[in-house]
């Protein structure tokens, strides 16, 4: 830094640069003029600016001794570049302390000290500004750092305005877009394909350039939701670019997750309306029968009606609880996990099962089973859901076997049935919310598709895990593992 910095001269020169921009000039000419204004103000031997693209960097402007470097490619894997793109946005380094060919070349030209400032847009580095000095060990003073950081921000602003920058067609501003972007000519051929486009579609630039778009283009100003052959969804928009070339810009993003959420919402409405309607209809029917025909009914009929109303009300309460629990990812604060007697908890949970399930359960629990570490009160829900699932997909009179074991600081229990079994490709999907197998299964085995989803959430919240597998000889085995207490 000069002993007496002429910041006033730099500000005046910067003003003339702004006048150039206001007059419509841009690009490398304005960038080079800016560097020439700043270089004497900070006493640097040279200034250089490196523009970064997704595939690497390149020196696009330089002044003084470093003009030899204009056009030089800079690999993003170069150790010097890796070092400079990390850490503080403005920093001083010695080029002879950084490995790599670019640093060696700078040192060979007597430029052994540099102050570097990154030009960033929304946290993305679009380039780096380098003030280069001869061999000396004096540290950069605060003014020097502030000036260079300010100028790097000005250059970033130029990139944001795209006034002739980026220099390269696959430059950092286009590359920084999260949405896919393509420019298509009047013949429908792709002329520009940014990195996000390749990521969204899986089509590499070399496969896209000079070829038609791999999806339809909506009319200018309109939006199109399009499904790709592999099943992913894109939201596509297009617009006309000004100028005589007849170019069109097309932007697109992957909305597969959003589509899935919309489908889940629609399925949620359909399933819950059906599942809630069934017990409510039965309860209302039996209640109306008791009200309208009380005198003509026998005591046995009345007790049977009351029993059915109670059973259906319990089903309704359990369904509502499952729906409310599945609608939030918040875990209630039930305190820290505590040791509990798993065998005793399983016996109590079996006793609370609906009678039609309870009579089918075959309970086989060993003595001396270690305690489990978790939340005892939730195990009733876990066992009820697994038993209900086993009962739904197996013959009415077939057994539902519940066993337990321990090994390697893990205690586990299994719920096994002798039903239709589960396909290997479905053992993970079965835990998805609202998933119920194929459409034929859904028709034959109604339900909200929430039971296994809730089981996995409950068990994993206790640092355990749950799995499904086909049972030898037919049927399904659900296994819950918990840490020993």
């Amino acid at each position: 830094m000069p002993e007496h910095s002429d910041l006033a001269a730099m500000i005046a020169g910067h003003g003339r640069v702004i006048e150039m921009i206001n007059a419509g000039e841009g690009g490398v000419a304005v960038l080079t003029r800016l560097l020439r204004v700043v270089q004497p103000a900070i006493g640097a031997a040279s200034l250089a600016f490196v523009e970064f693209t997704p595939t690497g960097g390149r020196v696009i402007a330089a002044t003084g001794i470093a003009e030899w470097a204009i056009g030089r490619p800079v690999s993003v894997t170069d150790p010097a570049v890796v070092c400079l793109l990390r850490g503080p946005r403005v920093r001083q380094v010695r080029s002879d302390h950084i490995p790599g060919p670019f640093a060696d070349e700078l040192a060979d030209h007597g430029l052994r000290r540099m102050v570097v400032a990154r030009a960033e847009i929304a946290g993305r580095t679009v380039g780096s500004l380098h003030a280069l000095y001869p061999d000396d060990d004096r540290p950069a003073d605060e003014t020097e750092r502030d000036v260079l950081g300010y100028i790097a921000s000005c250059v970033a602003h130029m990139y944001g305005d795209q006034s002739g920058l980026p220099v390269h067609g696959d430059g950092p501003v286009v590359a920084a877009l999260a949405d896919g972007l393509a420019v298509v000519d009047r013949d429908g051929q792709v002329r520009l394909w940014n990195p996000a486009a390749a990521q969204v579609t899986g089509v590499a630039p070399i496969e896209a350039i000079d070829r038609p778009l791999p999806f339809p283009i909506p009319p200018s100003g309109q939006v199109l939701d399009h499904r790709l052959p592999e099943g992913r969804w894109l939201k596509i928009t297009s617009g006309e670019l000004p100028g005589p070339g007849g170019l069109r810009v097309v932007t697109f993003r992957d909305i597969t997750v959003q589509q899935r959420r919309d489908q889940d919402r629609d399925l949620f409405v359909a399933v819950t309306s059906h599942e809630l309607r069934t017990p409510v209809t039965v309860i209302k029917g039996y209640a109306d029968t008791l009200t309208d025909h009380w005198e003509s009914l026998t005591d046995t009929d009345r007790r049977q009606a009351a029993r059915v109303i109670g059973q259906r009300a319990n089903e309704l309460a359990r369904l509502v609880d499952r729906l409310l629990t599945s609608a939030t990812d918040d875990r209630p604060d039930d305190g820290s996990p505590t040791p509990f007697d798993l065998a005793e908890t399983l016996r109590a949970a079996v006793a609370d099962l609906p009678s039609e399930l309870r009579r089918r359960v075959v309970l086989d629990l060993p003595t001396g089973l270690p305690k489990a570490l978790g939340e005892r009160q939730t195990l009733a829900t876990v066992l009820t859901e697994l038993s209900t699932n086993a009962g739904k997909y197996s013959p009415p009179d077939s057994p539902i076997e519940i066993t337990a074991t321990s090994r390697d600081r893990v205690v586990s229990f299994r719920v096994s049935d002798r039903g239709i079994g589960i396909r290997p490709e479905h053992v993970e999907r079965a835990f998805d919310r609202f998933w119920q197998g194929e459409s034929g299964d859904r028709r034959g085995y109604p339900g909200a598709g929430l039971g296994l989803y809730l089981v996995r959430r409950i068990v994993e919240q206790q640092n355990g895990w749950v799995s499904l597998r086909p049972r030898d000889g037919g049927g399904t085995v659900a296994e819950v593992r918990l840490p020993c207490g």
Side-chain angles (χ1 to χ4, degrees):
M1 192 78 180
E3 184 177 351
H4 299 289
S5 305
D6 193 355
L7 296 182
M10 189 191 76
I11 294 173
H14 193 193
R16 287 190 288 273
V17 170
I18 293 176
E19 290 175 0
M20 291 175 63
I21 296 174
N22 291 340
E25 296 186 55
V28 174
V30 172
L31 179 57
T32 301
R33 178 67 177 270
L34 180 60
L35 300 190
R36 287 175 178 166
V37 167
V38 176
Q39 180 189 333
I42 61 174
S46 300
L47 258 71
F49 186 80
V50 179
E51 177 183 273
F52 289 106
T53 75
T55 56
R58 190 177 299 274
V59 180
I60 63 170
T63 63
I65 302 174
E67 287 187 3
W68 58 269
I70 293 176
R72 187 196 189 284
V74 180
S75 171
V76 291
T77 61
D78 188 308
V81 177
V82 173
C83 175
L84 298 176
L85 293 181
R86 296 177 178 173
R89 193 175 75 88
V90 182
R91 62 187 300 194
Q92 174 175 288
V93 295
R94 285 189 60 87
S95 57
D96 53 359
H97 289 177
I98 304 174
F102 192 27
D104 292 341
E105 293 171 22
L106 291 174
D108 290 343
H109 284 79
L111 301 172
R112 300 182 182 275
R113 182 173 71 90
M114 71 174 81
V115 180
V116 185
R118 293 195 299 271
E120 298 177 337
I121 298 177
R124 291 180 177 266
T125 299
V126 297
S128 58
L129 179 61
H130 302 248
L132 304 163
Y133 298 87
D135 190 12
D136 64 64
D137 292 323
R138 72 173 181 84
D141 64 28
E142 186 175 350
T143 302
E144 188 177 2
R145 292 171 179 266
D146 289 345
V147 168
L148 207 65
Y150 167 72
I151 297 301
S153 297
C154 292
V155 176
H157 185 72
M158 291 170 61
Y159 273 87
D161 288 343
Q162 298 188 19
S163 54
L165 297 172
V167 172
H168 302 97
D170 61 346
V173 174
V174 172
L177 293 175
D179 291 350
L181 182 144
V183 174
V184 182
D185 63 20
R186 67 179 70 218
D187 297 322
Q189 304 295 303
V190 175
R191 295 305 179 200
L192 185 146
W193 191 253
N194 78 335
Q199 183 176 5
V200 168
T201 63
V203 179
I206 194 172
E207 300 171 343
I209 301 297
D210 296 329
R211 297 183 184 180
L213 274 175
F215 47 77
I217 306 177
S220 181
Q222 296 187 20
V223 179
L224 171 68
D225 289 350
H226 174 74
R227 188 177 186 182
L228 297 174
E230 66 270 23
R232 291 184 298 113
W233 285 86
L234 300 181
K235 183 175 289 293
I236 309 167
T237 61
S238 75
E240 304 291 336
L241 284 176
L247 299 177
R248 301 179 68 184
V249 61
V250 183
T251 61
F252 44 95
R253 66 178 62 182
D254 191 327
I255 59 168
T256 305
V257 173
Q258 177 183 335
Q259 284 281 342
R260 188 175 295 122
R261 287 173 179 169
D262 291 344
Q263 292 171 0
D264 282 350
R265 179 198 60 204
D266 294 341
L267 182 59
F268 177 85
V269 172
V271 168
T272 53
S273 62
H274 173 268
E275 292 298 306
L276 291 171
R277 186 181 298 114
T278 301
V280 168
T281 300
V282 173
I283 290 171
K284 184 178 185 302
Y286 275 93
D288 289 344
T289 298
L290 290 174
T291 301
D292 298 337
H293 306 286
W294 179 270
E295 299 298 336
S296 61
L297 294 174
T298 65
D299 288 343
T300 301
D301 292 334
R302 294 168 187 161
R303 281 193 291 270
Q304 175 63 17
R307 185 180 305 109
V308 172
I309 290 174
Q311 290 175 346
R312 293 296 185 168
N314 288 336
E315 293 176 10
L316 184 61
R318 189 163 69 91
L319 176 60
V320 171
D321 182 65
R322 292 161 74 190
L323 293 173
L324 293 176
T325 303
S326 69
T328 176
D329 289 328
D330 295 332
R331 178 184 179 183
D333 185 10
D334 294 325
S336 301
T338 56
F340 64 92
D341 189 322
L342 179 62
E344 178 186 335
T345 302
L346 291 174
R347 291 189 186 94
V350 169
D352 289 337
L353 290 174
S355 58
E356 66 272 15
L357 276 179
R358 188 171 62 249
R359 64 179 178 80
R360 296 174 55 184
V361 169
V362 178
L363 197 60
D364 183 12
L365 302 178
T367 58
L369 194 67
K371 289 188 176 183
L373 185 65
E375 300 168 1
R376 173 174 178 160
Q377 64 273 19
T378 64
L379 260 294
T381 300
V382 170
L383 185 67
T384 300
E385 296 296 346
L386 293 180
S387 301
T388 301
N389 206 58
K392 182 193 304 184
Y393 292 101
S394 60
D397 295 326
S398 63
I400 299 172
E401 302 164 76
I402 300 177
T403 61
T405 186
S406 65
R407 182 180 179 182
D408 298 332
R409 300 294 300 166
V410 171
V411 61
S412 63
F413 69 91
R414 301 181 185 92
V415 178
S416 308
D417 64 62
R418 301 176 186 270
I420 63 173
I422 186 168
R423 298 180 185 178
E425 64 268 25
H426 291 167
V427 294
E428 278 301 310
R429 290 206 63 195
F431 293 100
D432 291 347
R433 182 160 47 177
F434 306 128
W435 192 84
Q436 296 176 291
E438 297 179 351
S439 57
D441 294 336
R442 182 177 293 118
R443 288 193 296 269
Y445 303 94
L450 293 172
L452 291 177
Y453 167 78
L454 295 178
V455 165
R456 173 162 279 184
R457 280 190 60 193
I458 290 171
V459 172
E460 291 186 350
Q461 285 170 353
Q462 300 176 56
N463 298 316
W465 68 99
V466 59
S467 62
L468 293 177
R469 64 176 182 272
R471 180 180 177 274
D472 294 339
T476 302
V477 178
E479 184 168 8
V480 175
R481 300 174 180 87
L482 294 169
C484 289

